[in-house]
Amino acid sequence: MTTLAFHCLNEDTDTPHTCASAGTRLARPDLTAREVEVLVAWVRTESKGRVGRQLFIAPCTVNTHLERVRAKYAAVGRPAHTKAALTARAIQDGLVCLYDL
C-alpha cells in the first residue's frame, strides 16, 4: 500500500481532513506517488502540456496518469469526470489546500 504525503492536515490531530458534512472519513483510492504528483500539478496548472513540461513527461503520459486516478476514484465510489471534480477530491483527501491553488 502506498503512503501519501498530506499537505492539508487537521492541526489538532495531525491527520487528513474528514468530510465536514458527514463527519466520517471518505473512501480513498490507493494512488501511487507519481499519480499524486501529476494530479496535484494538474490541479495547480492550466494545462496538461504544462504539467508534462514541469514533470519532464509527455502530455499523453499526463493523460494516462489522470485516467488511472479517475478510474481509482470511480472504483471507490467517488467518480470525478471533470477537472473541478478531481480538484474537489484532491482537497477532500488533503492532497491540496485551497490556499495552494
Side-chain angles (χ1 to χ4, degrees):
M1 187 160 132
T2 303
T3 303
L4 301 177
F6 295 100
H7 301 286
C8 297
L9 300 176
N10 289 330
E11 293 177 18
D12 299 333
T13 61
D14 203 33
T15 59
H17 286 290
T18 58
C19 180
S21 61
T24 59
R25 197 174 290 270
L26 298 169
R28 301 174 66 148
D30 188 21
L31 302 179
T32 67
R34 188 61 162 180
E35 288 168 343
V36 171
E37 182 180 25
V38 170
L39 174 61
V40 170
W42 188 57
V43 165
R44 293 178 176 164
T45 308
E46 71 275 357
S47 74
K48 294 174 186 172
R50 187 162 184 180
V51 171
R53 288 188 298 277
Q54 288 175 353
L55 301 179
F56 304 103
I57 57 177
C60 63
T61 304
V62 173
N63 278 332
T64 299
H65 284 299
L66 294 173
E67 287 171 7
R68 289 179 182 159
V69 169
R70 283 191 171 100
K72 289 179 179 185
Y73 270 110
V76 296
R78 297 171 63 203
H81 301 291
T82 64
K83 184 173 185 176
L86 275 176
T87 301
R89 301 296 176 260
I91 292 168
Q92 290 168 341
D93 290 343
L95 302 173
V96 175
C97 289
L98 285 176
Y99 65 84
D100 290 335
L101 302 178

